[in-house]
Amino acid sequence: RSLHILSHVYIYVREESMIRGPQFLTTLRSHTVWEHTPVKLYCTVEGYPTPLVKWYKDGVSIDRSSIKYNVQDNVGIHTLEIAKCETDDTAQYTAVAGNIHGQVSTQASVIVKSKSVCPPLLSSAVPMLLEIKYTKINITFLETFGSVFGIEGDTVTLAATMTATPNLANLQPEAQWFRDDHRLSDSKWVKIESARGKTKLTLPHLNKDDEGVYSLRVVTKGGDAVHSAFVSCADGPPPVPGAPGAPMDIKIHDANRDYVIVSWKPPNTTTEGPIIGYFVDRCETGTENWVQCNDSPIKICKFPVPGLFEGHSYYFRVRAINSHGISKPSRMSDPIAALDPTEFERLHAIKLGGKLDVVIYHDDVEDGKKVPGTPSKLRASETDRTYVVLSWKPAPYQGQAPVWYYIEKVSGAWQRVNTQVPVRSPRYAVFDLAEGKQYLFRVLAANMYGTSETSEPTEPIQTQELRGVPSAPGQVVATRETDTSLLIQWAEPKEPNNLIGYYIDVCVKGSKDWASANHKPHKNNKFVVQGLTTGETYAFRVQAINELGLSDESQESSPLSVKAALTTPSAPYDIALLACDGESMVLNWKHPIHSGGSPVVEYYIDKHRHGEHTWREINIPPIKERLFKVEHLSAGAVYEFMVYGGSLAGLGAPSAPSKAFHCDAWTMPEPGTVPKTSLKQVSILKMKCA
């Protein structure tokens, strides 16, 4: 459709609507202000249809008609202004943008400080340097969450309660949730609720994409308090017995006006047959009509989907196939719009009659030239086994007639690639190439008046060659972690071949019933297997994964029983002076609270004399009892002592220094002490302390 604005000037308007969910380009920023001063929060958002923005204060909707708040919306820029802040305006403010394709939110805190806390100025003529000190806030978890083992479709809730000391109304800690160190926020699959002293994360429909280590970080001025636990998600019942589990982690790459590239990760097949291939499905947003994109199964975890309608938005999902049947579909992807990624770069505004701004494409402006110029800087921005994504720089903008492009390839003789589909975007994916073969490409521009010269050809571009799945991982070693978990480590495969991650299997000693320890590929070569039975003995094996599938299994680890790992003991405490004769002191202390899983069998003592800078060892051979006579002391001197406990795991932390003990002979009889301590009397004291 064309719009006649001025003589010989036409603006081409696309009929397709540009459908996009809302997205924040600029998020809210937190502020700390003095009371009775103004503050303005602002954000920018884009989307089509134009998103509506609602504001909330601590989860309560803000009334736009309130005289306290000035809410403005102006061409994607949204502001909330408080002209005169009061201390009760200290809160968390949220902007929620939504249209028919979804909603997103952004949050920020406003802290209003009272001026009454500032000391009065002694004189306006004398500058005063104010030392500003912050209050360190300590967090104590009262209730926490543990590891969770669920199956697909379950609802899982992780909750924690905490207390802050001191508990200041205008300095409340912020609760942040993470999965595998990636910050989480409210979405269709994750719900987060936080109130004073409480926070809760809910996974309303558990999926293998949700598996991982979940961490709650409570952020304060004095640092972070962190609690973590593992959430496991096993496959739900398959549609038919023996069918594989669903693929996961569906990603969209290189979205363009008529195609996208979809990638995913393969499921574990510990108890199922090997994967034969995959089906990719698409669904246009606003409908429930899923359409299969490939007629025959594809064997790699990446697939280009052509034939999309420009300006339309789509969801994608993937199903796995083995000899028994087809899996349940994966969790669907986020919606993606089929749009020209360079479209907004080619827009600019012109003035008609010096007053009216009209947004048009650069190539719609008449400059007297007819035939388009030659494109340049042609290159491959992505190369795969059977396709190459090309991009180039358009020639200076030409004429009012639309410009399109033709791509040619050569592997023997030049031939045109896109004979049926004109390309308007300076970016194009060439599919159906031979694996491991070299090609040259060139591009030319065309319009209704003719075609340009061909561009300079690219350097030889070679498609990737199928190298197979990774080789099997190396030696697997299990070590003790806790009384319900073991730490598994292994050597990386010698031939990674674009490694994606690993699957770990576990089996009780003497059994051949292997089970999956993780249901989403793990990226590192160490993994803590949770939920084991205390006292049971297990073996482990590992498989590596790439986009072609799973490697052979590693050799099994040596069996290992589950019990808490040995740790060094905690520090002894409460060092007491039992006797002093002016030349020696008899010391006693209390046993470490935590032994570390092995008995504390020996102790070491250090001493420090006031006036000296170093601590010195007293006993080289270890002490077996919690009683020791320190000899060769100087009368009248002052000493401090520290004690270490030792076990099979090693030497523990030192105790806190004792009180300052004066080496003065005790002359007054006191219970439990004697003026001159004999070996026999020390033995009696040992019996009393035992």
Side-chain angles (χ1 to χ4, degrees):
R1 185 188 305 168
S2 62
L3 175 64
H4 188 269
I5 298 180
L6 287 178
S7 176
H8 306 299
V9 177
Y10 293 87
I11 298 177
Y12 294 87
V13 181
R14 300 209 322 236
E15 293 184 353
E16 299 90 351
S17 60
M18 295 166 54
I19 304 174
R20 290 173 296 168
Q23 178 183 2
F24 282 105
L25 302 180
T26 305
T27 57
L28 298 179
R29 185 172 64 87
S30 296
H31 295 265
T32 300
V33 298
W34 294 113
E35 64 177 338
H36 305 151
T37 59
V39 68
K40 180 184 286 188
L41 302 175
Y42 80 94
C43 57
T44 58
V45 64
E46 68 172 6
Y48 189 89
T50 302
L52 298 178
V53 174
K54 295 183 180 180
W55 293 87
Y56 296 84
K57 174 185 176 182
D58 285 339
V60 179
S61 179
I62 291 177
D63 184 1
R64 285 175 171 259
S65 62
S66 170
I67 60 174
K68 184 177 183 62
Y69 303 104
N70 180 16
V71 180
Q72 297 289 334
D73 303 288
N74 183 22
V75 194
I77 301 176
H78 304 270
T79 61
L80 171 71
E81 183 176 9
I82 306 174
K84 190 177 181 181
C85 290
E86 304 293 343
T87 54
D88 60 0
D89 291 317
T90 295
Q92 186 177 65
Y93 292 83
T94 305
V96 179
N99 63 14
I100 61 174
H101 303 295
Q103 70 176 30
V104 291
S105 64
T106 176
Q107 296 178 332
S109 297
V110 173
I111 299 174
V112 182
K113 291 189 173 183
S114 173
K115 291 184 178 180
S116 60
V117 302
C118 296
L121 294 177
L122 298 178
S123 170
S124 59
V126 180
M128 176 181 289
L129 179 64
L130 299 179
E131 181 184 3
I132 301 175
K133 298 181 179 179
Y134 70 84
T135 301
K136 182 175 180 179
I137 300 176
N138 295 309
I139 298 296
T140 302
F141 286 112
L142 303 178
E143 295 180 0
T144 56
F145 50 90
S147 295
V148 176
F149 299 88
I151 62 172
E152 290 177 315
D154 286 353
T155 298
V156 170
T157 298
L158 308 178
T161 60
M162 65 217 72
T163 181
T165 307
N167 192 355
L168 305 177
N170 61 343
L171 284 177
Q172 286 298 298
E174 178 187 8
Q176 300 176 352
W177 288 91
F178 295 80
R179 178 174 59 233
D180 295 332
D181 293 326
H182 294 285
R183 177 82 180 270
L184 299 175
S185 57
D186 253 7
S187 68
K188 180 178 181 180
W189 310 116
V190 178
K191 304 297 179 185
I192 297 175
E193 303 174 49
S194 295
R196 194 163 182 173
K198 299 179 181 178
T199 185
K200 179 172 69 174
L201 179 143
T202 301
L203 305 172
H205 194 276
L206 189 64
N207 188 276
K208 289 186 292 185
D209 287 314
D210 299 321
E211 184 173 277
V213 176
Y214 283 73
S215 299
L216 169 62
R217 297 180 187 173
V218 184
V219 182
T220 73
K221 288 284 188 181
D224 298 355
V226 181
H227 175 75
S228 301
F230 184 71
V231 173
S232 171
C233 177
D235 287 304
V240 295
M248 70 213 76
D249 197 19
I250 312 302
K251 301 291 186 185
I252 310 300
H253 311 270
D254 199 53
N256 216 302
R257 62 170 56 200
D258 60 352
Y259 75 89
V260 299
I261 296 172
V262 183
S263 69
W264 57 93
K265 291 178 181 175
N268 198 351
T269 53
T270 303
T271 57
E272 301 85 10
I275 301 293
I276 296 173
Y278 302 91
F279 284 129
V280 178
D281 304 329
R282 75 169 187 256
C283 176
E284 192 168 339
T285 56
T287 74
E288 296 182 358
N289 182 27
W290 286 95
V291 178
Q292 187 172 300
C293 301
N294 51 313
D295 296 327
S296 57
I298 53 172
K299 295 185 177 181
I300 65 171
C301 298
K302 183 181 285 188
F303 182 67
V305 181
L308 305 181
F309 292 100
E310 185 179 357
H312 292 215
S313 291
Y314 297 88
Y315 296 104
F316 294 90
R317 69 184 188 187
V318 182
R319 294 169 291 151
I321 311 149
N322 67 6
S323 59
H324 296 281
I326 303 176
S327 74
K328 294 187 295 184
S330 67
R331 174 181 282 178
M332 65 183 184
S333 70
D334 293 330
I336 189 73
L339 294 172
D340 177 1
T342 67
E343 179 175 14
F344 293 104
E345 299 173 9
R346 298 188 293 113
L347 293 174
H348 76 144
I350 64 171
K351 289 188 179 292
L352 298 182
K355 296 181 180 180
L356 180 63
D357 279 349
V358 178
V359 177
I360 65 174
Y361 291 105
H362 279 292
D363 47 8
D364 291 337
V365 179
E366 178 65 62
D367 65 358
K369 297 180 181 179
K370 300 295 184 181
V371 177
T374 303
S376 60
K377 297 184 179 179
L378 177 62
R379 65 182 184 90
S381 57
E382 182 178 348
T383 305
D384 209 281
R385 294 171 48 253
T386 58
Y387 68 87
V388 170
V389 179
L390 299 172
S391 60
W392 57 90
K393 182 178 180 181
Y397 308 110
Q398 307 292 331
Q400 67 185 36
V403 175
W404 58 88
Y405 300 94
Y406 291 114
I407 294 90
E408 296 179 345
K409 69 178 180 181
V410 64
S411 185
W414 286 102
Q415 62 184 92
R416 189 158 291 181
V417 173
N418 58 320
T419 55
Q420 304 295 326
V421 182
V423 177
R424 188 169 182 180
S425 167
R427 184 179 177 90
Y428 187 73
V430 182
F431 299 117
D432 300 322
L433 301 178
E435 189 177 302
K437 193 172 182 180
Q438 282 192 346
Y439 293 88
L440 299 178
F441 297 93
R442 65 187 185 188
V443 63
L444 62 153
N447 65 7
M448 60 187 295
Y449 301 107
T451 59
S452 72
E453 298 291 328
T454 57
S455 69
E456 289 291 326
T458 63
E459 295 292 327
I461 297 172
Q462 183 167 345
T463 54
Q464 295 181 13
E465 192 167 1
L466 185 64
R467 292 188 293 173
V469 298
S471 58
Q475 183 181 11
V476 181
V477 178
T479 53
R480 292 193 174 97
E481 180 79 5
T482 70
D483 58 358
T484 58
S485 67
L486 293 174
L487 172 64
I488 313 303
Q489 302 179 77
W490 56 91
E492 297 178 354
K494 294 181 179 179
E495 299 178 9
N497 293 349
N498 297 321
L499 182 74
I500 291 175
Y502 302 93
Y503 280 127
I504 300 95
D505 297 336
V506 56
C507 177
V508 175
K509 180 183 178 182
S511 167
K512 292 300 180 183
D513 296 328
W514 289 93
S516 300
N518 63 315
H519 308 89
K520 184 172 76 172
H522 182 68
K523 294 182 179 180
N524 301 320
N525 63 334
K526 59 175 62 177
F527 182 78
V528 177
V529 180
Q530 309 270 2
L532 303 177
T533 302
T534 304
E536 190 63 86
T537 302
Y538 296 90
F540 302 88
R541 67 188 186 190
V542 181
Q543 285 179 285
I545 315 152
N546 69 2
E547 62 182 16
L548 293 174
L550 280 67
S551 73
D552 292 335
E553 294 146 355
S554 70
Q555 293 184 351
E556 297 178 17
S557 69
S558 299
L560 184 66
S561 59
V562 180
K563 59 182 180 181
L566 297 181
T567 60
T568 57
S570 60
Y573 64 104
D574 280 0
I575 300 174
L577 175 62
L578 300 184
C580 179
D581 60 8
E583 298 176 353
S584 65
M585 295 183 182
V586 178
L587 303 178
N588 169 247
W589 53 90
K590 291 184 179 178
H591 193 281
I593 296 176
H594 302 291
S595 67
S598 178
V600 180
V601 295
E602 54 191 26
Y603 296 95
Y604 296 86
I605 303 176
D606 290 352
K607 71 177 179 180
H608 169 256
R609 179 174 176 173
H610 278 208
E612 297 179 353
H613 299 290
T614 57
W615 287 82
R616 303 180 186 277
E617 295 178 353
I618 293 177
N619 59 309
I620 301 302
I623 305 164
K624 302 299 182 181
E625 294 89 6
R626 291 180 290 112
L627 185 74
F628 186 72
K629 181 179 181 181
V630 183
E631 298 181 311
H632 309 299
L633 302 179
S634 299
V638 179
Y639 295 91
E640 291 178 298
F641 301 91
M642 289 193 303
V643 181
Y644 300 76
S647 68
L648 288 176
L651 197 64
S655 68
S658 69
K659 295 178 181 178
F661 295 144
H662 291 259
C663 190
D664 296 327
W666 290 4
T667 56
M668 295 180 61
E670 295 184 15
T673 65
V674 290
K676 197 72 176 178
T677 310
S678 66
L679 291 176
K680 180 179 179 180
Q681 290 166 330
V682 168
S683 299
I684 295 173
L685 288 172
K686 289 181 181 179
M687 294 176 61
K688 289 183 179 181
C689 295

